[in-house]
Amino acid sequence: MNKHDPGGAKAPTYVEVNPNVADETPEEKRIWAKVSRRVMPLAILGLFIAYVDRVNIAVVGSSMRESLSLSPSVFGLAAGLFSIGYILFEIPSNLAMDKFGAKIWIARIMVTWGLITVATTFVVGANSLYVARLLLGIAEAGFYPGLLFYFGLWFPAKRLARAYSLFQLGIPISLALGSVLTAQLLRLDGVWGVHGWQWVFIIEGAAAVILGIITLFYMANGPKDAKWLTESERTVVQSALKAESAGAHAGGSHSGSALMSVVKSKAAWYYTVTFFFILVGFYAVTYWLPQIIQERFTVGPVQAGFISALPWCLSAISLLLVSKRVQRTGNRGPTLAVVLIVCAAGLAVSALTGSAVVALIGLCVAACVQAGVPLLMSFPSQHFPGAQAAVALALVNSVANLGGFVGPWLLGVLRESTGDNQAGLLMLSGSFIIAAVLALGLARQLRTATSVVSTNTRATSTD
């Protein structure tokens, strides 16, 4: 554990076992494809439902504000409080997953956040909504970084980058399809005397509970417990992981010592601050997008929900394009900076234009920030070995999610004080610019690591 000193003078050690996927035998490729088909779909579906339940408040926001008499600042605060609960319990949740096992803990997370989503049906005002959003963040804490760590139990480093990108693709897809699904559920308004926004929480929360139960029976804690692998297939998977662990997983057990090592790392905090400024803009756009569209186009909440899917469809496409470019060039830091500058420009255009159509185009461009998230998260996962990687992912993701509180809340406050979204959108544009400047220093932080698992052969030299 103590051998990992990010501030030390020791040169980085790059551990690459068959670093090129093309070097694999046909049998190895078949085995990894089988692992992907078994591991990835459930994870992506879980992420889909997680983001639907996390941000469905965006689509139902105007209906809830009218029904519960909520001001813009109250709605922004309620939306952002999710991130506070998430921050406080992210690392403890990740540590608990190591104790109880991935299957039990991830299933527990799903069932808990599903029940709290259903319970949000019964909020009656600002205070009860605050509590519900805070509890939702606590319940979901640990899910995203927990799955990132779970992938590390299945895939060698050379395949992790692709797994992360595929997993990340579930976010814009969930935001796009989730907007359409939630808008459709709003049409149930009045059925059995229940508001449309209440039906949203009931049905979408129940989906998480059901998936959590399925996870408990379907998920394996690792290759050793996977009954769907033959003995020879299990040997190939475990051998690939063990070959890397000798040089890369010097991080010790998933414990308090790993936590302290990561917390003392300046690089970990650099990654965290960069991600914070990204999330300030991302979550503000996510939570306020349907209401901004509703006002610009003078449409109802159902129509706004459908239109809100467009930016996230473009975001999914940009995620694929950026991922392919990085696989080809390895320039993660500079590419991330370019993505953020383009997104900043989109927000600025949306803020300053008088055309609703041009404003929507600007918001579509801004939503492409999602393409930069896997680039950012690849740095801490590559920087820290073994258990430190799990803790680092939890630290970066949890503390940076403070941006998920600051962004929506500030946009709500500025919207209430100025009467429009211009000042708020310009503020978010500035947040992306700050993140872009910091992105240019990510490679320098990575070079301070004493042991680096290379997920991309070129990335070790061209970042």
Side-chain angles (χ1 to χ4, degrees):
M1 176 67 64
N2 294 331
K3 292 179 181 179
H4 181 74
D5 179 12
K10 185 178 178 180
T13 299
Y14 296 106
V15 179
E16 299 185 17
V17 182
N18 264 355
N20 196 337
V21 173
D23 294 337
E24 294 175 343
T25 67
E27 177 64 9
E28 287 176 327
K29 291 181 179 180
R30 183 194 67 79
I31 292 171
W32 292 119
K34 181 178 181 179
V35 171
S36 295
R37 287 195 303 270
R38 182 76 183 201
V39 172
M40 297 304 299
L42 186 64
I44 293 174
L45 181 58
L47 185 68
F48 171 84
I49 295 178
Y51 267 79
V52 167
D53 285 345
R54 181 187 300 191
V55 305
N56 53 16
I57 192 175
V59 178
V60 304
S62 61
S63 299
M64 287 189 73
R65 285 176 56 195
E66 181 179 347
S67 177
L68 302 178
S69 301
L70 305 176
S71 68
S73 60
V74 167
F75 175 81
L77 178 59
L81 278 173
F82 168 91
S83 296
I84 299 300
Y86 197 84
I87 291 166
L88 294 176
F89 285 84
E90 181 96 331
I91 291 178
S93 181
N94 240 33
L95 294 173
M97 188 181 75
D98 182 67
K99 179 179 180 180
F100 294 102
K103 178 172 67 175
I104 292 176
W105 196 249
I106 289 175
R108 193 284 306 164
I109 290 175
M110 289 180 177
V111 171
T112 306
W113 99 55
L115 292 175
I116 292 174
T117 299
V118 173
T120 307
T121 302
F122 304 104
V123 300
V124 294
N127 291 334
S128 55
L129 181 58
Y130 290 157
V131 172
R133 292 293 296 176
L134 185 66
L135 290 177
L136 182 63
I138 293 173
E140 195 190 311
F143 182 73
Y144 178 80
L147 282 176
L148 293 184
F149 177 66
Y150 181 67
F151 294 154
L153 302 178
W154 290 95
F155 299 104
K158 62 185 176 182
R159 287 187 169 271
L160 272 180
R162 183 175 182 180
Y164 286 172
S165 294
L166 183 61
F167 180 57
Q168 194 72 25
L169 187 61
I171 295 178
I173 291 176
S174 67
L175 293 172
L177 296 182
S179 294
V180 174
L181 172 63
T182 302
Q184 285 284 16
L185 292 177
L186 282 174
R187 296 180 184 273
L188 296 175
D189 187 47
V191 175
W192 294 345
V194 178
H195 291 293
W197 61 267
Q198 292 176 311
W199 278 117
V200 167
F201 292 128
I202 292 170
I203 295 174
E204 294 179 349
V209 175
I210 294 170
L211 185 61
I213 295 172
I214 293 173
T215 298
L216 190 60
F217 293 97
Y218 186 86
M219 179 179 279
N221 283 315
K224 183 179 179 181
D225 300 325
K227 296 180 180 179
W228 44 270
L229 285 175
T230 66
E231 195 61 39
S232 60
E233 291 171 342
R234 187 177 295 107
T235 299
V236 170
V237 174
Q238 291 180 317
S239 296
L241 297 171
K242 288 179 180 179
E244 289 181 347
S245 66
H249 292 180
S253 62
H254 196 170
S255 63
S257 56
L259 172 61
M260 290 307 299
S261 179
V262 172
V263 168
K264 292 178 181 179
S265 168
K266 293 181 180 179
W269 291 105
Y270 190 96
Y271 301 142
T272 300
V273 172
T274 305
F275 199 27
F276 166 82
F277 283 106
I278 292 175
L279 293 184
V280 166
F282 170 71
Y283 275 113
V285 171
T286 300
Y287 285 124
W288 283 102
L289 177 63
Q291 293 186 56
I292 293 174
I293 289 175
Q294 190 174 344
E295 293 174 1
R296 285 294 187 108
F297 285 87
T298 317
V299 295
V302 175
Q303 293 82 356
F306 284 114
I307 298 174
S308 296
L310 295 177
W312 303 119
C313 289
L314 181 60
S315 177
I317 295 172
S318 69
L319 180 60
L320 292 174
L321 294 177
V322 170
S323 176
K324 287 184 177 180
R325 172 178 170 77
V326 171
Q327 285 181 1
R328 184 173 66 253
T329 67
N331 293 319
R332 290 173 294 168
T335 300
L336 176 58
V338 171
V339 169
L340 292 168
I341 290 296
V342 171
C343 292
L347 282 178
V349 167
S350 181
L352 299 174
T353 185
S355 168
V357 174
V358 174
L360 177 60
I361 293 173
L363 290 172
C364 286
V365 172
C368 292
V369 67
Q370 192 62 49
V373 174
L375 301 183
L376 185 282
M377 294 302 285
S378 70
F379 282 92
S381 63
Q382 185 182 6
H383 188 121
F384 297 95
Q388 291 180 23
V391 176
L393 288 169
L395 174 71
V396 172
N397 192 58
S398 61
V399 178
N401 260 276
L402 183 61
F405 169 77
V406 173
W409 174 67
L410 276 180
L411 186 54
V413 170
L414 291 172
R415 177 180 170 136
E416 187 171 332
S417 60
T418 63
D420 58 37
N421 298 300
Q422 185 178 82
L425 290 176
L426 290 175
M427 178 270 296
L428 302 179
S429 178
S431 178
F432 283 155
I433 292 174
I434 294 172
V437 173
L438 292 172
L440 295 175
L442 291 172
R444 184 168 59 253
Q445 296 299 318
L446 183 61
R447 287 192 289 269
T448 66
T450 59
S451 179
V452 179
V453 179
S454 175
T455 59
N456 185 304
T457 305
R458 292 182 179 180
T460 62
S461 59
T462 60
D463 263 333

